[in-house]
Amino acid sequence: MRVVPVPCLADNYAYLVVSEGEAAIVDASEAAPIREALRREGVVARAIWSTHHHWDHVGGNEELARELGIGVVAHRSDRERLPGLTHPVDAGDKVSVGRLEATCLHVPGHTLGAVAYFVDAGAESAVFTGDTLFCAGCGRLFEGTPAQMHASLGRIAALPGRCRVYCGHEYTENNLRFAAHVEPTSDDVCAARTRAAALRGRGQPTVGTTIDDERRVNPFLRVGSLELRATLGIAADADDASSFAAVRAAKDAFR
Ligand code: ZN
Ligand code: FE
């Protein structure tokens, strides 16, 4: 399996998931950079896998689908609003490209029809999380409840620890600033900031962290942390879903 990040718009990532000379396009944000990436990689596009309906993730759907003669996969609840949707899916459905198969996870919260695509290629695996799980962060709750988002993140966090995380935006450095604010003594957060700064300094993406990395540094997967709770004034005996809601609210207000 090869994963090619394709920077789009200001800070979005589309991806090519490549196997056997074929590619699935994850989140066709805009057509031009994806067309160029397909040409550069010398691969044939087989489908677009959309993580959610927001314009910055689907802006190139109709143009690329028409031009390449391919379909668009997305959650069935987005039938009426996701541009070009031809292959509605739900939790547990499989989609494939080349020799790879991806399992669709339904992860409501950022939007109600959000989907994550988990590609399990034996020794290697990857999950495409859109705006649900970011590296060191998570998406805002535009449509779902905190309880829904907390459960969705839990499903992603339960994937294998070595699974690579490919998210929809380059927000990592800012997210890690918040992580350092809520867990100031964390060596893992400190190391992650150094790594992210080095990558961004070279103009490279920070995506491709692992689920294990995220469990160690991502405040939204660490809502039980006593240091985090003390920093944000969350009761030590509060349940995880309420703690999650408080962490999300604190991040929304963080500058
Ligand atoms: Zn979004
Ligand atoms: Fe987005």
Side-chain angles (χ1 to χ4, degrees):
M1 161 169 45
R2 223 155 61 75
V3 175
V4 181
V6 183
C8 290
L9 303 171
D11 53 27
N12 276 77
Y13 288 120
Y15 297 95
L16 302 183
V17 185
V18 176
S19 167
E20 308 282 309
E22 298 185 359
I25 300 163
V26 178
D27 280 357
S29 300
E30 52 175 346
I34 294 170
R35 195 184 285 125
E36 173 56 23
L38 289 166
R39 193 199 56 74
R40 199 174 54 235
E41 298 294 325
V43 293
V44 178
R46 289 299 184 207
I48 295 170
W49 299 349
S50 293
T51 61
H52 66 295
H53 73 93
H54 285 159
W55 69 274
D56 58 317
H57 300 259
V58 300
N61 276 17
E62 284 172 326
E63 189 179 341
L64 286 172
R66 198 180 327 113
E67 181 178 313
L68 302 168
I70 57 179
V72 175
V73 177
H75 194 257
R76 63 191 183 89
S77 67
D78 279 339
R79 245 190 225 107
E80 303 300 316
R81 63 178 183 178
L82 196 136
L85 172 48
T86 53
H87 291 74
V89 293
D90 205 347
D93 288 348
K94 313 273 189 189
V95 289
S96 63
V97 60
R99 261 195 253 170
L100 299 173
E101 192 172 64
T103 304
C104 303
L105 313 185
H106 182 210
V107 286
H110 178 67
T111 68
L112 291 177
V115 174
Y117 298 91
F118 171 56
V119 182
D120 190 357
E124 290 178 307
S125 58
V127 63
F128 297 87
T129 57
D131 292 355
T132 300
L133 179 72
F134 289 130
C135 296
C138 81
R140 287 177 188 261
L141 305 182
F142 286 114
E143 297 176 9
T145 63
Q148 278 177 317
M149 185 63 141
H150 179 245
S152 294
L153 292 174
R155 283 198 287 285
I156 295 172
L159 294 173
R162 65 176 186 282
C163 176
R164 300 273 172 192
V165 176
Y166 296 99
C167 59
H169 289 270
E170 182 59 65
Y171 290 161
T172 312
E173 284 193 285
N174 196 44
N175 287 340
L176 284 167
R177 222 161 41 78
F178 179 70
H181 166 70
V182 296
E183 292 192 291
T185 71
S186 167
D187 292 339
D188 291 319
V189 170
C190 187
R193 291 186 86 181
T194 305
R195 174 186 172 274
L199 285 167
R200 294 312 291 151
R202 296 195 296 270
Q204 290 172 4
T206 59
V207 294
T209 58
T210 65
I211 292 288
D212 268 341
D213 293 333
E214 295 305 320
R215 287 187 196 126
R216 280 194 285 264
V217 305
N218 192 317
F220 298 97
L221 303 184
R222 301 182 54 75
V223 300
S225 152
L226 291 178
E227 185 178 27
L228 171 149
R229 287 183 177 214
T231 306
L232 297 179
I234 301 164
D237 63 354
D239 65 80
D240 282 353
S242 348
S243 178
F244 171 80
V247 178
R248 185 60 261 178
K251 175 68 164 55
D252 288 343
F254 184 71
R255 292 291 174 268

